[in-house]
Amino acid sequence: MKKKPKRGFLVALLIGFDEKEIHTWKVYSQSLRVYKTIKLTRKWKYLDDKQIYKLLEELVNLIRIVIRDGLKSILLASSQKKDYSTIFLDHINKHHQWLVRSKGYNRVSFGEVVGNANNIESAKFLISQEKSLHVIHETTSDEINLLVKQLEKIINVGDPNRLLLYSLEDIEAVIYEGGKKDKSAAEKLDFLIVTEDFINRHNKHRVHRLIQIANNKGIITKTISIENPAVDRFNQFGGILAFKKTS
């Protein structure tokens, strides 16, 4: 029986700009999966300002969905001769400053790479390049640093009514309460953070089940790579934490 390839944990969203399509991919630690494709009505260079605005708004709406699920690291890719990534970032800065200027964890981190991501082969090749890996690392580090700041706020506020859990059993008790269909756990917790070290030391099926059910209940889940500089801060709490963010 052929083994199913490992997916790994979600790292970033890759957006590949092309002349007639915008391809989006979910980048995982061990794989790359197609997400959605936006088709242009005609080649980019033949679009008027209104059509370009409508196209970029469609892409913003796609991004809204992934950031609502907790993905805040976005990688933009276009070929060297095209400036589609810059056009999109200008659109963001002009019409959607909330994406890049929000305080705390609401902010989205954008990174830019030069290259094509218009099919699975080109997208895989692009994110395997050293320059791309560096940009991905920088972009995701920004996101994780915002999580660390949220954690520090919780600790400094010291509000006894605000949950901060760092025991697998305690976290399971809150998330599993009421069964799979009861989503009240999301009223008590905003984030479930797990480090790679923690997953490697524990029953992987048990941890992945917890992550999946937390996701289904509307709790943002993040797996922190061993290579991330912030991983030590989370490992100080045993490698697993769940908490409600401060305002």
Side-chain angles (χ1 to χ4, degrees):
M1 188 177 173
K2 194 176 178 182
K3 269 191 172 183
K4 190 177 178 182
K6 287 185 178 180
R7 186 172 70 173
F9 55 87
L10 191 56
V11 174
L13 181 75
L14 170 64
I15 298 175
F17 293 94
D18 206 357
E19 282 199 356
K20 282 205 73 176
E21 292 178 326
I22 299 174
H23 302 267
T24 65
W25 313 84
K26 284 193 173 180
V27 182
Y28 293 86
S29 57
Q30 297 181 48
S31 64
L32 181 78
R33 301 288 170 93
V34 63
Y35 182 51
K36 291 181 181 178
T37 300
I38 298 173
K39 293 185 181 293
L40 281 63
T41 52
R42 59 183 72 181
K43 283 189 176 181
W44 192 299
K45 62 183 176 181
Y46 298 126
L47 296 176
D48 61 32
D49 289 345
K50 282 185 179 178
Q51 290 169 324
I52 290 174
Y53 178 87
K54 186 180 177 184
L55 172 67
L56 298 180
E57 283 297 292
E58 190 176 346
L59 184 54
V60 169
N61 287 333
L62 184 151
I63 288 173
R64 283 180 199 271
I65 296 168
V66 298
I67 64 174
R68 197 165 56 226
D69 293 335
L71 184 59
K72 303 290 179 71
S73 298
I74 297 176
L75 198 63
L76 307 175
S78 56
S79 63
Q80 196 160 13
K81 294 179 181 179
K82 306 296 180 182
D83 57 354
Y84 303 138
S85 297
T86 304
I87 291 169
F88 180 61
L89 284 178
D90 287 345
H91 180 81
I92 291 292
N93 283 307
K94 189 174 180 181
H95 301 286
H96 298 281
Q97 288 194 2
W98 59 273
L99 277 170
V100 288
R101 296 198 178 173
S102 295
K103 290 184 179 180
Y105 190 68
N106 293 325
R107 191 168 76 235
V108 175
S109 299
F110 287 95
E112 290 183 79
V113 291
V114 175
N116 293 315
N118 50 15
N119 56 50
I120 191 71
E121 290 79 17
S122 63
K124 279 183 176 178
F125 178 77
L126 181 64
I127 62 168
S128 70
Q129 300 306 296
E130 191 174 338
K131 284 182 181 178
S132 299
L133 291 171
H134 178 69
V135 174
I136 291 172
H137 177 73
E138 283 194 333
T139 308
T140 53
S141 291
D142 285 345
E143 180 185 357
I144 301 307
N145 287 337
L146 291 172
L147 269 179
V148 172
K149 287 179 181 177
Q150 277 291 331
L151 173 62
E152 301 297 349
K153 269 188 179 181
I154 297 289
I155 295 166
N156 292 333
V157 168
D159 184 349
N161 298 316
R162 193 170 291 276
L163 279 182
L164 170 59
L165 305 173
Y166 39 90
S167 150
L168 176 58
E169 291 75 15
D170 289 346
I171 294 169
E172 284 176 329
V174 173
I175 291 175
Y176 291 158
E177 188 177 4
K180 290 182 180 179
K181 292 184 179 179
D182 184 343
K183 297 193 175 182
S184 60
E187 296 169 13
K188 301 173 184 174
L189 299 170
D190 286 316
F191 298 104
L192 169 62
I193 315 297
V194 184
T195 68
E196 262 193 291
D197 298 299
F198 183 89
I199 294 172
N200 292 336
R201 293 196 315 267
H202 291 78
N203 181 307
K204 288 182 173 61
H205 175 75
R206 180 180 177 183
V207 179
H208 288 148
R209 179 173 179 267
L210 176 64
I211 290 170
Q212 185 60 59
I213 291 175
N215 261 325
N216 294 345
K217 290 193 172 191
I219 296 165
I220 293 170
T221 64
K222 279 289 162 193
T223 302
I224 312 297
S225 165
I226 291 170
E227 297 170 359
N228 193 291
V231 73
D232 290 342
R233 184 61 177 128
F234 295 106
N235 279 333
Q236 286 173 354
F237 289 84
I240 186 168
L241 300 97
F243 59 85
K244 184 99 178 157
K245 67 182 177 183
T246 61
S247 53

Coordinates of all heavy atoms in Angstrom, one line a residue, residues 111-190:
G111 N 5.6 39.0 2.1 CA 6.9 38.9 1.6 C 6.9 38.8 0.1 O 5.9 38.4 -0.5
E112 N 7.9 39.2 -0.6 CA 8.0 39.2 -2.1 C 9.1 38.4 -2.6 O 10.2 38.5 -2.1 CB 8.1 40.6 -2.7 CG 6.9 41.5 -2.5 CD 7.1 42.9 -3.1 OE1 6.9 43.0 -4.4 OE2 7.4 43.8 -2.4
V113 N 8.9 37.5 -3.6 CA 9.9 36.8 -4.3 C 9.8 36.9 -5.8 O 8.7 37.2 -6.3 CB 9.9 35.3 -3.9 CG1 10.3 35.1 -2.5 CG2 8.5 34.7 -4.2
V114 N 10.8 36.8 -6.5 CA 10.8 36.9 -8.0 C 10.8 35.5 -8.5 O 11.6 34.7 -8.2 CB 12.0 37.7 -8.5 CG1 12.1 37.6 -10.0 CG2 12.0 39.1 -8.0
G115 N 9.8 35.2 -9.4 CA 9.7 33.9 -10.0 C 8.2 33.5 -10.3 O 7.3 34.3 -10.0
N116 N 8.1 32.4 -11.0 CA 6.7 32.0 -11.3 C 6.2 30.9 -10.4 O 6.9 30.1 -9.9 CB 6.8 31.4 -12.8 CG 7.1 32.4 -13.8 OD1 6.5 33.5 -13.8 ND2 8.0 32.1 -14.7
A117 N 4.9 31.0 -10.2 CA 4.2 30.0 -9.3 C 2.8 29.7 -10.0 O 1.8 29.8 -9.4 CB 4.0 30.5 -7.9
N118 N 2.9 29.4 -11.3 CA 1.7 29.2 -12.1 C 1.3 27.7 -12.3 O 0.3 27.4 -12.9 CB 1.8 29.9 -13.5 CG 3.1 29.5 -14.2 OD1 3.8 28.6 -13.9 ND2 3.4 30.3 -15.2
N119 N 2.1 26.8 -11.8 CA 1.8 25.4 -11.7 C 2.5 24.8 -10.6 O 3.4 25.4 -10.0 CB 2.1 24.7 -13.1 CG 3.5 24.8 -13.5 OD1 4.4 24.6 -12.7 ND2 3.7 25.3 -14.8
I120 N 2.2 23.5 -10.3 CA 2.7 22.9 -9.1 C 4.3 22.7 -9.2 O 5.0 22.9 -8.2 CB 2.1 21.5 -8.8 CG1 2.5 20.9 -7.4 CG2 2.4 20.5 -9.9 CD1 1.8 21.6 -6.3
E121 N 4.8 22.5 -10.4 CA 6.2 22.3 -10.5 C 7.0 23.6 -10.3 O 8.0 23.7 -9.5 CB 6.6 21.8 -11.9 CG 6.2 20.3 -12.2 CD 4.7 20.2 -12.5 OE1 4.1 21.2 -12.8 OE2 4.2 19.0 -12.4
S122 N 6.5 24.7 -10.9 CA 7.2 26.0 -10.8 C 7.0 26.5 -9.3 O 8.0 27.1 -8.8 CB 6.6 27.0 -11.8 OG 5.3 27.3 -11.5
A123 N 5.9 26.3 -8.7 CA 5.6 26.8 -7.3 C 6.6 26.0 -6.4 O 7.2 26.6 -5.5 CB 4.2 26.6 -6.9
K124 N 6.7 24.7 -6.5 CA 7.6 23.9 -5.7 C 9.0 24.4 -5.8 O 9.8 24.5 -4.9 CB 7.5 22.4 -6.0 CG 6.3 21.7 -5.4 CD 6.3 20.2 -5.7 CE 5.1 19.6 -5.0 NZ 5.1 18.1 -5.3
F125 N 9.4 24.6 -7.1 CA 10.8 25.0 -7.4 C 11.1 26.4 -6.7 O 12.1 26.6 -6.1 CB 11.1 25.1 -8.9 CG 12.4 25.6 -9.2 CD1 13.5 24.8 -9.1 CD2 12.6 26.9 -9.7 CE1 14.8 25.2 -9.4 CE2 13.9 27.4 -10.0 CZ 15.0 26.5 -9.9
L126 N 10.1 27.3 -6.9 CA 10.3 28.6 -6.3 C 10.5 28.6 -4.8 O 11.4 29.3 -4.3 CB 9.0 29.5 -6.7 CG 9.1 30.9 -6.2 CD1 10.2 31.7 -6.9 CD2 7.7 31.6 -6.5
I127 N 9.6 27.9 -4.1 CA 9.8 27.9 -2.6 C 10.9 27.1 -2.1 O 11.2 27.2 -0.9 CB 8.4 27.5 -1.9 CG1 8.1 26.1 -2.2 CG2 7.3 28.5 -2.2 CD1 6.9 25.5 -1.4
S128 N 11.5 26.3 -3.0 CA 12.7 25.6 -2.6 C 14.0 26.4 -2.7 O 15.0 26.0 -2.1 CB 12.9 24.3 -3.4 OG 13.2 24.6 -4.7
Q129 N 13.9 27.5 -3.4 CA 15.1 28.3 -3.5 C 15.5 29.0 -2.2 O 14.7 29.4 -1.5 CB 14.9 29.4 -4.6 CG 14.5 28.8 -6.0 CD 15.6 27.8 -6.5 OE1 16.7 28.1 -6.7 NE2 15.1 26.5 -6.6
E130 N 16.8 29.2 -2.1 CA 17.4 29.8 -0.8 C 16.8 31.2 -0.5 O 16.4 31.5 0.6 CB 18.9 29.9 -0.9 CG 19.5 30.2 0.5 CD 21.0 30.1 0.4 OE1 21.6 29.4 -0.5 OE2 21.6 30.8 1.3
K131 N 16.7 32.0 -1.6 CA 16.1 33.4 -1.4 C 14.7 33.3 -0.9 O 14.3 34.1 -0.1 CB 16.2 34.2 -2.7 CG 17.6 34.7 -3.0 CD 17.6 35.5 -4.3 CE 19.1 36.0 -4.6 NZ 19.1 36.8 -5.9
S132 N 13.9 32.4 -1.5 CA 12.5 32.3 -1.2 C 12.4 31.7 0.3 O 11.5 32.2 1.1 CB 11.8 31.3 -2.1 OG 11.8 31.8 -3.4
L133 N 13.2 30.8 0.6 CA 13.2 30.2 2.0 C 13.5 31.3 3.0 O 12.9 31.4 4.1 CB 14.2 29.1 2.1 CG 13.8 27.8 1.4 CD1 15.0 26.8 1.4 CD2 12.6 27.2 2.0
H134 N 14.4 32.2 2.6 CA 14.8 33.3 3.5 C 13.6 34.3 3.7 O 13.3 34.7 4.8 CB 16.0 34.1 2.9 CG 16.4 35.3 3.8 ND1 17.0 35.2 5.0 CD2 16.3 36.6 3.5 CE1 17.2 36.4 5.5 NE2 16.8 37.3 4.6
V135 N 12.9 34.6 2.6 CA 11.7 35.5 2.7 C 10.6 34.8 3.5 O 10.0 35.5 4.3 CB 11.2 35.9 1.3 CG1 9.9 36.7 1.4 CG2 12.3 36.7 0.5
I136 N 10.4 33.5 3.3 CA 9.4 32.8 4.0 C 9.7 32.9 5.5 O 8.8 33.1 6.4 CB 9.2 31.4 3.6 CG1 8.6 31.3 2.2 CG2 8.4 30.5 4.5 CD1 8.6 29.9 1.5
H137 N 11.0 32.6 5.8 CA 11.4 32.6 7.2 C 11.2 34.0 7.9 O 10.6 34.1 9.0 CB 12.9 32.3 7.3 CG 13.5 32.3 8.7 ND1 13.2 31.4 9.7 CD2 14.3 33.3 9.3 CE1 13.8 31.7 10.8 NE2 14.5 32.8 10.6
E138 N 11.5 35.1 7.2 CA 11.3 36.4 7.7 C 9.8 36.8 7.9 O 9.4 37.3 8.9 CB 12.0 37.5 6.7 CG 13.5 37.5 6.8 CD 14.0 38.8 6.2 OE1 13.3 39.3 5.2 OE2 15.1 39.3 6.6
T139 N 9.0 36.4 6.9 CA 7.6 36.7 6.9 C 6.9 35.9 8.0 O 6.1 36.5 8.8 CB 6.9 36.3 5.6 OG1 7.7 36.9 4.5 CG2 5.5 36.8 5.5
T140 N 7.2 34.6 8.2 CA 6.5 33.9 9.2 C 7.1 34.3 10.6 O 6.3 34.2 11.6 CB 6.7 32.4 9.0 OG1 8.1 32.1 8.8 CG2 6.0 31.9 7.8
S141 N 8.3 34.7 10.7 CA 8.9 35.1 12.0 C 8.1 36.4 12.5 O 7.9 36.5 13.7 CB 10.4 35.4 11.9 OG 11.1 34.3 11.7
D142 N 7.8 37.3 11.5 CA 7.0 38.4 11.9 C 5.7 38.0 12.6 O 5.2 38.6 13.6 CB 6.7 39.3 10.7 CG 7.9 40.1 10.2 OD1 8.8 40.2 11.0 OD2 7.9 40.6 9.1
E143 N 5.0 37.0 11.9 CA 3.7 36.5 12.4 C 3.9 35.9 13.8 O 3.1 36.2 14.7 CB 3.2 35.5 11.5 CG 1.8 34.9 11.9 CD 1.3 33.8 11.0 OE1 2.0 33.5 10.0 OE2 0.3 33.2 11.4
I144 N 4.9 35.1 14.0 CA 5.1 34.4 15.3 C 5.5 35.4 16.4 O 5.1 35.3 17.5 CB 6.2 33.3 15.2 CG1 5.7 32.3 14.1 CG2 6.4 32.6 16.5 CD1 4.4 31.7 14.3
N145 N 6.3 36.4 16.0 CA 6.6 37.5 17.0 C 5.4 38.2 17.5 O 5.3 38.6 18.7 CB 7.6 38.5 16.4 CG 9.0 37.9 16.2 OD1 9.3 36.9 16.9 ND2 9.8 38.4 15.3
L146 N 4.4 38.4 16.7 CA 3.1 39.0 17.1 C 2.4 38.1 18.1 O 1.8 38.6 19.1 CB 2.2 39.3 15.9 CG 2.7 40.4 14.9 CD1 1.9 40.4 13.7 CD2 2.7 41.7 15.6
L147 N 2.5 36.8 17.9 CA 1.9 35.8 18.8 C 2.6 35.9 20.2 O 2.0 35.8 21.2 CB 2.0 34.4 18.3 CG 0.9 33.9 17.5 CD1 1.2 32.5 17.0 CD2 -0.4 33.9 18.2
V148 N 4.0 36.0 20.1 CA 4.7 36.1 21.4 C 4.3 37.4 22.2 O 4.1 37.4 23.4 CB 6.3 36.2 21.1 CG1 7.0 36.5 22.4 CG2 6.7 34.9 20.5
K149 N 4.1 38.5 21.4 CA 3.6 39.7 22.1 C 2.3 39.5 22.7 O 2.0 40.1 23.8 CB 3.6 40.9 21.1 CG 5.0 41.4 20.7 CD 4.9 42.5 19.7 CE 6.3 43.0 19.3 NZ 6.2 44.0 18.2
Q150 N 1.4 38.8 22.1 CA 0.1 38.5 22.6 C 0.2 37.7 23.9 O -0.4 38.0 24.9 CB -0.8 37.7 21.6 CG -1.5 38.5 20.6 CD -2.6 39.4 21.2 OE1 -3.2 39.0 22.2 NE2 -2.9 40.5 20.6
L151 N 1.1 36.7 23.9 CA 1.4 35.9 25.1 C 1.9 36.8 26.2 O 1.4 36.6 27.4 CB 2.4 34.8 24.7 CG 2.8 33.9 25.9 CD1 1.7 33.2 26.6 CD2 3.9 32.9 25.4
E152 N 2.9 37.6 25.9 CA 3.5 38.5 27.0 C 2.4 39.4 27.6 O 2.4 39.7 28.8 CB 4.6 39.3 26.4 CG 5.8 38.5 25.8 CD 6.5 37.6 26.8 OE1 6.2 37.8 28.0 OE2 7.3 36.8 26.3
K153 N 1.5 39.9 26.7 CA 0.4 40.7 27.2 C -0.4 40.0 28.3 O -0.8 40.5 29.3 CB -0.5 41.2 26.1 CG -0.1 42.5 25.4 CD -1.2 42.9 24.4 CE -0.9 44.2 23.8 NZ -2.0 44.6 22.8
I154 N -0.8 38.8 27.9 CA -1.6 37.9 28.8 C -0.9 37.8 30.2 O -1.5 37.9 31.2 CB -1.9 36.5 28.2 CG1 -2.6 36.6 26.9 CG2 -2.6 35.6 29.2 CD1 -4.1 37.0 27.1
I155 N 0.4 37.5 30.1 CA 1.2 37.3 31.3 C 1.3 38.5 32.2 O 1.1 38.5 33.4 CB 2.6 36.8 31.0 CG1 2.5 35.4 30.3 CG2 3.5 36.7 32.2 CD1 3.8 34.9 29.7
N156 N 1.5 39.7 31.5 CA 1.7 40.9 32.2 C 0.4 41.5 32.8 O 0.4 42.1 33.9 CB 2.3 42.0 31.3 CG 3.7 41.7 30.9 OD1 4.4 41.0 31.6 ND2 4.1 42.1 29.7
V157 N -0.7 41.2 32.1 CA -2.0 41.7 32.6 C -2.4 40.9 33.8 O -3.0 41.5 34.8 CB -3.1 41.6 31.5 CG1 -4.5 41.8 32.1 CG2 -2.9 42.6 30.4
G158 N -2.1 39.6 33.8 CA -2.4 38.8 35.0 C -3.9 38.7 35.4 O -4.2 38.6 36.5
D159 N -4.8 38.7 34.4 CA -6.2 38.7 34.6 C -6.6 37.3 34.9 O -6.5 36.4 34.1 CB -6.9 39.2 33.4 CG -8.4 39.3 33.6 OD1 -8.9 38.8 34.6 OD2 -9.1 39.9 32.7
P160 N -7.1 37.0 36.2 CA -7.5 35.6 36.5 C -8.7 35.1 35.7 O -8.9 33.9 35.7 CB -7.8 35.7 38.0 CG -8.2 37.2 38.2 CD -7.3 37.9 37.3
N161 N -9.4 36.0 35.1 CA -10.6 35.6 34.3 C -10.2 35.2 32.9 O -11.1 34.8 32.1 CB -11.7 36.6 34.3 CG -12.2 36.9 35.8 OD1 -12.4 36.0 36.5 ND2 -12.3 38.2 36.1
R162 N -9.0 35.5 32.5 CA -8.5 35.2 31.1 C -7.7 34.0 31.1 O -6.7 33.9 31.7 CB -7.7 36.4 30.6 CG -7.5 36.4 29.1 CD -7.0 37.7 28.6 NE -7.9 38.8 28.8 CZ -8.9 39.1 27.9 NH1 -9.0 38.3 26.8 NH2 -9.7 40.1 28.0
L163 N -8.1 33.0 30.4 CA -7.5 31.7 30.4 C -6.1 31.7 29.7 O -5.9 32.3 28.7 CB -8.4 30.7 29.6 CG -9.5 30.0 30.4 CD1 -10.2 29.0 29.5 CD2 -9.1 29.3 31.6
L164 N -5.2 31.1 30.4 CA -3.9 30.8 29.8 C -3.5 29.4 30.3 O -3.3 29.1 31.4 CB -2.8 31.7 30.3 CG -1.3 31.4 29.9 CD1 -1.1 31.3 28.4 CD2 -0.3 32.4 30.5
L165 N -3.6 28.4 29.3 CA -3.5 27.0 29.7 C -2.2 26.5 29.0 O -1.9 26.8 27.8 CB -4.7 26.2 29.1 CG -6.1 26.6 29.6 CD1 -7.1 25.8 28.9 CD2 -6.2 26.5 31.1
Y166 N -1.4 25.7 29.7 CA -0.2 25.1 29.1 C 0.0 23.7 29.6 O 1.1 23.2 29.8 CB 1.0 25.9 29.4 CG 1.2 26.6 30.8 CD1 1.8 25.9 31.8 CD2 0.6 27.8 31.0 CE1 1.9 26.5 33.1 CE2 0.7 28.4 32.2 CZ 1.4 27.7 33.3 OH 1.5 28.3 34.5
S167 N -1.1 23.0 29.7 CA -1.1 21.5 30.0 C -2.0 20.9 28.9 O -3.1 21.3 28.7 CB -1.7 21.3 31.4 OG -2.3 20.0 31.5
L168 N -1.5 19.8 28.3 CA -2.3 19.1 27.3 C -3.6 18.7 27.8 O -4.7 18.9 27.1 CB -1.5 17.9 26.8 CG -2.1 17.0 25.8 CD1 -2.5 17.8 24.5 CD2 -1.2 15.8 25.4
E169 N -3.7 18.1 29.0 CA -4.9 17.6 29.6 C -5.9 18.8 29.8 O -7.1 18.6 29.5 CB -4.7 16.9 30.9 CG -3.9 15.6 30.7 CD -2.5 15.7 30.5 OE1 -1.9 16.8 30.7 OE2 -1.8 14.7 30.0
D170 N -5.4 19.9 30.3 CA -6.3 21.0 30.6 C -6.9 21.6 29.3 O -8.1 22.0 29.2 CB -5.6 22.1 31.4 CG -5.3 21.8 32.8 OD1 -5.9 20.8 33.3 OD2 -4.4 22.4 33.4
I171 N -6.0 21.7 28.3 CA -6.4 22.2 27.0 C -7.5 21.3 26.3 O -8.5 21.8 25.8 CB -5.2 22.5 26.1 CG1 -4.3 23.6 26.6 CG2 -5.7 22.8 24.7 CD1 -3.0 23.7 26.0
E172 N -7.2 20.0 26.4 CA -8.2 19.0 25.9 C -9.5 19.2 26.5 O -10.6 19.1 25.9 CB -7.6 17.6 26.0 CG -6.5 17.2 25.1 CD -6.0 15.8 25.3 OE1 -5.9 15.4 26.5 OE2 -5.5 15.2 24.3
A173 N -9.5 19.3 27.9 CA -10.7 19.4 28.6 C -11.6 20.6 28.1 O -12.8 20.5 28.0 CB -10.4 19.6 30.1
V174 N -11.0 21.7 27.9 CA -11.7 22.9 27.4 C -12.2 22.7 26.0 O -13.3 23.0 25.6 CB -10.9 24.2 27.5 CG1 -11.6 25.4 26.9 CG2 -10.6 24.5 29.0
I175 N -11.3 22.3 25.1 CA -11.6 22.2 23.7 C -12.6 21.1 23.4 O -13.5 21.2 22.5 CB -10.3 22.0 22.8 CG1 -9.5 23.3 22.9 CG2 -10.6 21.6 21.4 CD1 -8.2 23.3 22.2
Y176 N -12.5 19.9 24.1 CA -13.4 18.8 23.9 C -14.7 19.0 24.6 O -15.7 18.2 24.3 CB -12.7 17.5 24.3 CG -11.6 17.1 23.4 CD1 -10.6 16.2 23.9 CD2 -11.4 17.6 22.1 CE1 -9.5 15.8 23.1 CE2 -10.4 17.2 21.3 CZ -9.4 16.3 21.8 OH -8.3 16.0 21.0
E177 N -14.9 19.9 25.5 CA -16.1 20.1 26.2 C -17.3 20.2 25.3 O -17.3 21.0 24.4 CB -16.0 21.3 27.2 CG -17.1 21.4 28.1 CD -17.0 22.6 29.1 OE1 -16.0 23.3 28.9 OE2 -17.8 22.7 30.0
G178 N -18.3 19.5 25.6 CA -19.6 19.6 24.8 C -19.6 18.8 23.5 O -20.6 18.9 22.8
G179 N -18.5 18.1 23.2 CA -18.5 17.3 22.0 C -18.0 18.1 20.8 O -17.8 19.3 20.8
K180 N -18.0 17.5 19.6 CA -17.4 18.0 18.4 C -18.2 19.2 17.9 O -17.7 20.1 17.2 CB -17.3 17.0 17.3 CG -16.2 15.9 17.6 CD -16.1 14.9 16.5 CE -15.0 13.9 16.7 NZ -14.9 12.9 15.7
K181 N -19.5 19.2 18.1 CA -20.4 20.2 17.5 C -20.5 21.5 18.4 O -21.0 22.5 17.9 CB -21.8 19.6 17.2 CG -21.7 18.6 16.0 CD -23.1 18.1 15.7 CE -23.0 17.1 14.5 NZ -24.4 16.6 14.2
D182 N -20.1 21.4 19.6 CA -20.2 22.5 20.5 C -19.0 23.4 20.3 O -17.9 23.1 20.5 CB -20.2 22.0 22.0 CG -20.4 23.1 23.0 OD1 -20.2 24.3 22.6 OD2 -20.8 22.8 24.1
K183 N -19.3 24.7 19.8 CA -18.2 25.6 19.5 C -18.0 26.7 20.6 O -17.3 27.7 20.3 CB -18.5 26.2 18.1 CG -18.5 25.2 17.0 CD -18.5 25.9 15.6 CE -18.4 24.8 14.6 NZ -18.3 25.3 13.2
S184 N -18.5 26.4 21.8 CA -18.4 27.4 22.8 C -16.9 27.6 23.3 O -16.6 28.5 23.9 CB -19.3 27.1 24.0 OG -18.9 25.8 24.5
A185 N -16.1 26.6 23.0 CA -14.6 26.7 23.4 C -14.0 27.9 22.8 O -13.1 28.5 23.4 CB -13.9 25.4 22.9
A186 N -14.4 28.3 21.6 CA -13.9 29.5 20.9 C -14.2 30.8 21.7 O -13.6 31.8 21.4 CB -14.4 29.6 19.5
E187 N -15.2 30.8 22.6 CA -15.5 31.9 23.4 C -14.5 32.1 24.5 O -14.2 33.1 25.1 CB -16.9 31.8 24.0 CG -18.0 31.8 22.9 CD -19.3 31.5 23.4 OE1 -19.5 31.4 24.7 OE2 -20.3 31.2 22.7
K188 N -13.8 30.9 24.9 CA -12.9 30.9 26.0 C -11.4 31.0 25.5 O -10.5 31.5 26.2 CB -13.0 29.6 26.8 CG -14.4 29.4 27.4 CD -14.5 28.1 28.0 CE -15.9 27.8 28.5 NZ -16.1 26.4 29.0
L189 N -11.2 30.5 24.3 CA -9.8 30.5 23.7 C -9.8 31.0 22.3 O -10.6 30.7 21.5 CB -9.3 29.0 23.7 CG -9.2 28.3 25.1 CD1 -8.9 26.9 24.9 CD2 -8.1 29.0 26.0
D190 N -8.7 31.8 22.0 CA -8.5 32.3 20.6 C -7.4 31.5 19.9 O -7.5 31.3 18.7 CB -8.1 33.8 20.7 CG -9.2 34.7 21.0 OD1 -10.3 34.5 20.4 OD2 -9.1 35.6 21.8

